[in-house]
Amino acid sequence: MWCRGFLQQTVRHVSSRQAGVIFDVDGVLVRGSAVIPAAQRAFRKLLDSNNNFLFPTVFVTNAGSCQRHHKAQQLSHLLDVQITPEQVVLSHSPLQMMKSFHDKCVLVSGQGPVTHIANTLGFQRVMTMEQLSEHHPLLDMVDHSRNPTLPSSPPQSLPQIQAIILFGEPVRWETNLQLLIDVLLTNGRPECGYDTQLSPQLPVLACNTDLLWMAEAPSPRFGHGMFLLCLESVYRKLTGRELEYKALLGKPSLVTYQYAEQVLQQQNCNRRLNTIYAVGDNLMTDIYGANLYNRYLGQRHAAVTTTTRLVARGMGSEVMAEEEPMSAIQCHSILVCTGVYNPRFPLPSDQNSSIMETAFHGHRDLVPEPDLMEPSYMVEDVEAAVDLLLQQEGSDL
C-alpha cells in the first residue's frame, strides 16, 4: 500500500513495520565506485516480489559532496534497486533544520557543487573559498608557483562572513586552512589583521567527522575528520584555545540519527518503529553513533515513562497513560568486516582500554567510551547483516 504524505515517496511497503534499517554506504555497499558483491545479494533478500522494500530503509552516509538525488541515482545503478532521494541522508542533510543561519553570509568549504548544495539546504547568502581567494589574491601564498595577480582596480568589498560551513574535505588543503584561519581570526573580515583574542568565535558548522574512510585502496583513506584535525591544530597553535563548533553533523551525531529516524517513520506511514538496525563498517562513526542513539532512546523512554507514571498517579490512577513517545525503543548496531574495520584487530573493550588511549580515531569532542564501540552484532558482510535482520524480525513478515 502507499503511505500518503511521504514527500511523494516512491517507496512502497506491504504494511507498516515494527523495524527499520539504516545502511552506511562506503565500506558496506560499495568501495569507491565498485559494488561489494554481497550488497546486491543482500538487497534481493530485502525486497518483496514487487520489488518493494520489506522494511523502511534509509541510506545514511557521511558523504557530502553531492545532492541527495545524485546519490540515490548512483546507488540505484550500482545496486540494481530503485532508491529514491527521500531514502538518502547525507552528512549535511540536517542543516536544513538550522534555520537561524539561513539568512547569514556563510563561507563554505568542500568539493562538488557546494553553492548549490547550500542553497538547496536553505542558505541564501553563500561565499565559496574560490570566490574569497579571487577577491583577496594575496591571502593564498603557500604555492609559490602561483604568483597572485593583483586587480587593476580595488575590488568591491565583500560582506562580512558570519558563519563557516565545512561540508567535507577540500582539494587544496593548504589554501582552505589558510583562508579559514584568516576568516576565524578576523571575525569574518579577512582583509583585516589577526586578533587572536577574538571572543566570541565565529560559528563553525562541520559535516562529516570521519577520520578515515574506505575506497578501492587496500587501506583506509583520509577523511574530512583528518582535515578538521589539521584545522584544530593550527587554530590552537595560533590562539592557545580550542576551536569551537556550533554543530558537528553526520554520523555519529545524535541529530543525524534523529533525522534518519524521522525519514524511516515517514516511510512507515508516520507510525512508530520499535527497533532500528544500523549497519556500518566504522567503529568510530557507525557503531559509536548507533550505540549512542540507543542510549539516548533508552534514557528518553525512561524519562517519559517516569513522567507519565507520575502524571497518572496525580490523577488517582496507577495505569500508564495511552500516549507513547514517537521515537523507537532501541537501535541495534551491526558491524560488517568489508570496510574500515579490520577483523584481525580486537574490538575495544574495558579489558583492552589501552587501545582506546592510543588509537581513538573519533573526533576530539567525542568521549572515548569502549562500550559505545562494541557492536550489538558483528557479521562478515551486509548480506549476513540482512540475514540477521530477517531472522530477528521474521515474525513481522
Side-chain angles (χ1 to χ4, degrees):
M1 64 182 256
W2 288 88
C3 296
R4 295 181 179 178
F6 180 44
L7 303 175
Q8 298 181 344
Q9 174 64 284
T10 60
V11 180
R12 291 179 288 176
H13 304 280
V14 176
S15 62
S16 62
R17 293 296 185 190
Q18 298 298 308
V21 193
I22 293 175
F23 286 107
D24 180 35
V25 176
D26 293 301
V28 175
L29 307 178
V30 301
R31 288 182 61 164
S33 58
V35 181
I36 294 173
Q40 292 181 330
R41 298 194 301 269
F43 279 89
R44 283 195 288 268
K45 298 179 178 181
L46 202 57
L47 300 177
D48 65 16
S49 58
N50 295 317
N51 289 326
N52 300 321
F53 282 90
L54 293 173
F55 301 93
T57 301
V58 65
F59 301 85
V60 181
T61 172
N62 274 353
S65 60
C66 65
Q67 298 277 27
R68 295 169 74 184
H69 66 274
H70 288 141
K71 180 60 71 173
Q73 289 173 355
Q74 178 193 42
L75 290 174
S76 297
H77 173 71
L78 291 174
L79 300 173
D80 196 26
V81 174
Q82 184 58 44
I83 296 168
T84 68
E86 290 82 8
Q87 286 181 281
V88 175
V89 176
L90 303 173
S91 60
H92 53 63
S93 295
L95 281 173
Q96 61 184 316
M97 299 188 297
M98 305 189 71
K99 299 184 185 298
S100 61
F101 289 95
H102 287 181
D103 62 348
K104 298 185 183 299
C105 179
V106 296
L107 176 67
V108 296
S109 169
Q111 299 182 43
V114 289
T115 299
H116 187 56
I117 291 172
N119 291 154
T120 302
L121 292 168
F123 296 92
Q124 304 163 22
R125 303 165 61 201
V126 180
M127 187 186 308
T128 66
M129 287 292 179
E130 291 75 18
Q131 290 170 330
L132 181 61
S133 181
E134 290 173 5
H135 201 84
H136 296 294
L138 294 179
L139 296 181
D140 182 12
M141 300 292 291
V142 176
D143 188 349
H144 294 178
S145 66
R146 294 187 298 130
N147 293 323
T149 302
L150 296 178
S152 57
S153 60
Q156 293 181 342
S157 61
L158 293 174
Q160 182 179 5
I161 296 167
Q162 298 169 294
I164 294 172
I165 300 178
L166 306 174
F167 280 121
E169 60 269 24
V171 175
R172 301 185 65 89
W173 286 31
E174 75 285 357
T175 295
N176 283 258
L177 287 171
Q178 178 70 78
L179 297 185
L180 288 170
I181 291 295
D182 289 339
V183 171
L184 285 166
L185 298 189
T186 60
N187 196 32
R189 297 188 182 277
E191 69 275 10
C192 302
Y194 285 179
D195 181 355
T196 58
Q197 301 305 313
L198 273 175
S199 182
Q201 177 205 294
L202 207 65
V204 177
L205 312 174
C207 309
N208 181 5
T209 61
D210 281 357
L211 191 77
L212 302 168
W213 68 288
M214 203 68 193
E216 291 97 335
S219 299
R221 303 294 86 195
F222 289 171
H224 191 216
M226 195 70 76
F227 177 79
L228 298 179
L229 182 63
C230 295
L231 179 62
E232 293 159 7
S233 179
V234 174
Y235 185 85
R236 182 173 60 251
K237 192 71 171 179
L238 292 177
T239 67
R241 303 192 308 273
E242 296 291 344
L243 179 68
E244 298 178 359
Y245 295 95
K246 195 70 175 179
L248 289 171
L249 303 175
K251 297 175 293 186
S253 71
L254 282 177
V255 67
T256 294
Y257 286 87
Q258 290 171 325
Y259 187 88
E261 185 181 0
Q262 288 179 11
V263 176
L264 289 172
Q265 284 184 355
Q266 287 171 335
Q267 291 181 41
N268 204 40
C269 304
N270 288 320
R271 293 174 179 154
R272 192 188 75 172
L273 300 162
N274 284 340
T275 305
I276 296 173
Y277 295 87
V279 184
D281 70 305
N282 193 324
L283 288 173
M284 309 299 172
T285 54
D286 303 307
I287 304 307
Y288 188 109
N291 289 342
L292 184 66
Y293 194 56
N294 184 60
R295 175 189 290 178
Y296 161 80
L297 292 174
Q299 293 172 343
R300 186 174 187 276
H301 280 273
V304 170
T305 300
T306 301
T307 302
T308 307
R309 281 179 175 151
L310 289 174
V311 170
R313 290 189 184 120
M315 296 190 309
S317 172
E318 292 293 328
V319 300
M320 290 287 291
E322 292 182 359
E323 184 177 350
E324 290 183 326
M326 279 297 293
S327 59
I329 296 175
Q330 58 190 347
C331 179
H332 292 319
S333 57
I334 305 179
L335 177 66
V336 299
C337 303
T338 52
V340 171
Y341 174 69
N342 189 331
R344 292 180 299 172
F345 298 101
L347 289 168
S349 66
D350 293 326
Q351 286 71 36
N352 56 11
S353 58
S354 60
I355 296 176
M356 294 287 297
E357 296 171 1
T358 58
F360 179 65
H361 292 169
H363 186 264
R364 178 203 68 190
D365 292 352
L366 296 178
V367 178
E369 298 183 53
D371 62 317
L372 290 181
M373 283 178 287
E374 292 188 33
S376 306
Y377 306 95
M378 185 170 71
V379 295
E380 181 179 356
D381 53 34
V382 67
E383 182 183 17
V386 168
D387 289 341
L388 173 66
L389 162 64
L390 294 174
Q391 179 183 5
Q392 295 290 321
E393 300 296 325
S395 60
D396 190 41
L397 296 177

